[in-house]
Amino acid sequence: MKTANRLRKNEDFRKVYRQANSMANKLLILYIRKNDLEYTRAGFTVSKKVGKSVVRSKVKRKMRESYRLNDNKFIKGYDLVFIAREGCKEASFQEIESALLHLMRKKKLLLQR
């Protein structure tokens, strides 16, 4: 995923939290906000409740990779923040990818093909 397509600044995350609507499943929480750009930016967070830094990093890598592999299936022009829930530490890559796609489908952000 390109650096330009990632949310990195605390200010950007706060805008999404403040102005966005959210949805959750058992593994992930998704905050979504329209950004008036021609591309979608995504941010990924994992709370300390999930585990120590090694576990949090592993979960975040799985989330980023599942987003990257499916990026071409998503509608452009949104800021997305994915938050991992505690169940993510035991979840496999396929389960996290499935949870991510489930949330995107529910929010109607998957391109119809």
Side-chain angles (χ1 to χ4, degrees), residues 3-112:
T3 306
N5 297 354
R6 298 223 353 235
L7 290 176
R8 289 186 173 270
K9 294 183 180 176
N10 190 20
E11 172 187 328
D12 293 336
F13 278 88
R14 287 188 186 279
K15 277 184 193 173
V16 175
Y17 293 140
R18 219 177 308 116
Q19 301 170 4
N21 61 46
S22 65
M23 176 170 269
N25 58 25
K26 70 176 192 165
L27 294 179
L28 299 173
I29 302 169
L30 169 64
Y31 283 87
I32 179 170
R33 170 186 175 267
K34 199 131 178 81
N35 69 7
D36 300 325
L37 298 172
E38 290 142 19
Y39 53 90
T40 295
R41 300 184 303 172
F44 304 91
T45 62
V46 182
S47 164
K48 285 187 178 182
K49 290 180 185 177
V50 174
K52 297 197 183 265
S53 63
V54 174
V55 174
R56 293 195 312 265
S57 294
K58 188 180 284 190
V59 169
K60 199 181 286 192
R61 282 195 307 268
K62 288 178 185 178
M63 290 167 50
R64 274 197 304 254
E65 183 65 7
S66 61
Y67 180 85
R68 186 189 69 81
L69 290 174
N70 295 290
D71 185 32
N72 59 342
K73 299 177 186 175
F74 303 144
I75 294 174
K76 305 297 181 210
Y78 290 92
D79 284 343
L80 308 170
V81 175
F82 294 94
I83 302 172
R85 290 184 139 179
E86 279 191 63
C88 276
K89 64 182 165 190
E90 293 97 18
S92 67
F93 173 77
Q94 287 79 18
E95 291 170 328
I96 291 176
E97 183 177 33
S98 174
L100 187 138
L101 290 172
H102 171 258
L103 289 174
M104 297 299 277
R105 194 174 305 109
K106 286 289 215 182
K107 283 295 187 180
K108 297 181 178 26
L109 291 178
L110 282 178
L111 292 172
Q112 302 299 321

